[in-house]
Amino acid sequence: MKPQIDVAVLTNETGAHLGAYFSALKEIEAVKSVFLSDPGGKQTEFARKELGPKLSQVFPNAKTLFQKEKPELALVTMQASQAPAAIDLALEHGCHVFAEKPACLSVSQFAPLVQKAESKHLNLSLALANRTNPEIQYARTLISEGTLGKIYGVELQLLADQTRLTKPAYHESWYAHKDHAGGGFLSWLGIHWLDLSMYLTGASIAEVTGFTAQAGGQPIDVEDSAALAFRYDAGFLGTLTAGYYLNRGYQSMIKIWGSKGWLEMLPFEDRPLEWSVNHNGKRYRFEKSLEPRGYTPAVRKAVLAAAGESEPLLSSRESLRIIRTIYAFYDAARSGKTQSISAE
């Protein structure tokens, strides 16, 4: 019989992607029961509708939940300023954690959580779901097998709509305020592409510099535009252009060059992955299924890891690595000086 575990969802009125998370938990057979902590009760009706009989009980706060139940995994989704306390409580009760990014306002908040997780042999994983996408997995295999040879450089682009920033509801949301969100576009969306660049190449970003701006002039105090340059610990260089620039939708690119060829990914277009080898002028295209993708396979990975059946989506150290990278960039943009990123 395959193992099943209980999952706690720690959220509130600021929880993001709850529809995707509830749908995943309902579908995943390894999830036996779900316990919900929902102070204020704003998400309870939605949870009952989405989870059905899998929702075992609703609690007014996380402390009461852990006093009554012993889930193996806690899924934490709330604004960045509130997440560290919830993560700490889950770890204190021996619970693995799968957390919506950025899950903190600073490295100094997140690093002790990773230390606690490691001391208790638990995993703290950020929900960077793009890692599970089939074309990402295929590209990672191409690179790890040496198809591109020695990596020479990386170029990243991720753009989303400026339209969302023009709405009064957004101006009032936690996403628009640094003291609640930690940052803007980079910590909410750019974090995915920076993590993928390290995941794909097997190298960590060691130094970063760049600029932020508020291109759209909206009444928010986080960046809606960022330009980064960075050096990986393997010696090659990379760049990222990121921002809320569009009327709607997304534009993105991941391009990696090596001594034997290159690959290019345009995830929001009809060319999810193409590559060329030996500089022969021929292009090869990823023709396999693009499913499964999104939050369900990422949550499944976290559930199976908590059950001891799989590796986590991100290790605790990988989660800390991307947090260090994000906040080093903010330090660089603020100071005008290149920042080195600790490997510890």
Side-chain angles (χ1 to χ4, degrees):
M1 184 176 177
K2 293 183 179 180
Q4 288 187 308
I5 67 167
D6 294 327
V7 178
V9 177
L10 310 183
T11 191
N12 55 30
E13 70 278 3
T14 69
H17 303 314
L18 278 169
Y21 287 133
F22 289 153
S23 176
L25 292 170
K26 182 178 181 179
E27 179 180 329
I28 297 167
E29 293 181 359
V31 175
K32 181 170 63 176
S33 297
V34 177
F35 308 117
L36 177 67
S37 167
D38 181 26
K42 295 293 181 64
Q43 309 293 358
T44 300
E45 183 178 350
F46 182 51
R48 288 195 173 113
K49 178 183 176 182
E50 295 297 307
L51 288 165
K54 265 199 179 179
L55 180 60
S56 179
Q57 196 166 352
V58 178
F59 295 91
N61 55 66
K63 184 177 180 180
T64 303
L65 187 157
F66 286 114
Q67 287 173 344
K68 301 286 187 179
E69 304 293 345
K70 296 186 182 299
E72 288 87 351
L73 175 68
L75 194 160
V76 178
T77 175
M78 55 184 65
Q79 68 184 46
S81 62
Q82 298 170 339
I87 293 170
D88 185 69
L89 184 64
L91 293 172
E92 194 62 37
H93 284 82
C95 201
H96 298 279
V97 175
F98 186 72
E100 181 60 52
K101 81 304 182 194
C104 65
L105 298 178
S106 65
V107 175
S108 62
Q109 284 186 339
F110 199 76
L113 298 174
V114 170
Q115 293 170 357
K116 176 172 280 193
E118 291 181 338
S119 72
K120 292 178 172 290
H121 306 288
L122 299 169
N123 191 70
L124 169 51
S125 180
L126 292 177
L128 299 177
N130 291 283
R131 281 188 172 207
T132 64
N133 293 350
E135 72 277 14
I136 294 293
Q137 291 294 314
Y138 194 87
R140 187 170 189 249
T141 298
L142 285 176
I143 293 170
S144 66
E145 291 180 347
T147 302
L148 301 188
K150 178 183 178 182
I151 301 301
Y152 284 166
V154 173
E155 183 178 357
L156 309 171
Q157 182 186 94
L158 182 58
L159 306 174
D161 64 288
Q162 173 75 202
T163 307
R164 73 180 78 179
L165 273 62
T166 65
K167 299 175 180 178
Y170 190 92
H171 301 160
E172 297 173 4
S173 72
W174 67 271
Y175 306 101
H177 301 281
K178 187 177 294 185
D179 58 348
H180 296 304
F185 187 99
L186 188 65
S187 62
W188 183 243
L189 293 177
I191 189 172
H192 286 288
W193 261 225
L194 288 172
D195 175 67
L196 285 181
S197 78
M198 295 187 281
Y199 181 65
L200 288 168
T201 62
S204 297
I205 294 174
E207 291 182 278
V208 63
T209 190
F211 302 91
T212 61
Q214 292 180 335
Q218 296 299 318
I220 60 177
D221 66 0
V222 294
E223 85 283 354
D224 67 357
S225 178
L228 292 72
F230 31 89
R231 182 182 65 81
Y232 295 81
D233 57 5
F236 56 89
L237 306 178
T239 62
L240 168 65
T241 298
Y244 293 112
Y245 294 167
L246 309 175
N247 181 47
R248 65 175 133 185
Y250 291 86
Q251 291 178 7
S252 69
M253 178 184 69
I254 299 173
K255 192 155 187 176
I256 302 173
W257 293 271
S259 60
K260 295 182 179 179
W262 53 265
L263 67 78
E264 182 178 67
M265 310 178 77
L266 301 173
F268 295 98
E269 297 183 22
D270 192 30
R271 288 192 289 134
L273 171 60
E274 289 186 343
W275 68 97
S276 180
V277 295
N278 298 324
H279 307 289
N280 58 15
K282 295 181 180 179
R283 291 193 176 200
Y284 305 91
R285 178 175 289 193
F286 181 77
E287 302 286 1
K288 299 181 180 181
S289 174
L290 297 177
E291 298 296 335
R293 64 196 302 108
Y295 282 92
T296 295
V299 175
R300 179 178 285 109
K301 190 95 170 163
V303 168
L304 294 178
E309 297 290 308
S310 170
E311 292 298 315
L313 180 67
L314 278 79
S315 70
S316 300
R317 283 285 146 179
E318 287 176 314
S319 297
L320 179 56
R321 177 180 70 175
I322 189 60
I323 292 299
R324 288 191 189 281
T325 302
I326 293 296
Y327 286 105
F329 167 71
Y330 285 135
D331 287 343
R334 182 172 54 253
S335 68
K337 297 179 181 179
T338 299
Q339 299 292 308
S340 296
I341 301 170
S342 170
E344 295 298 323

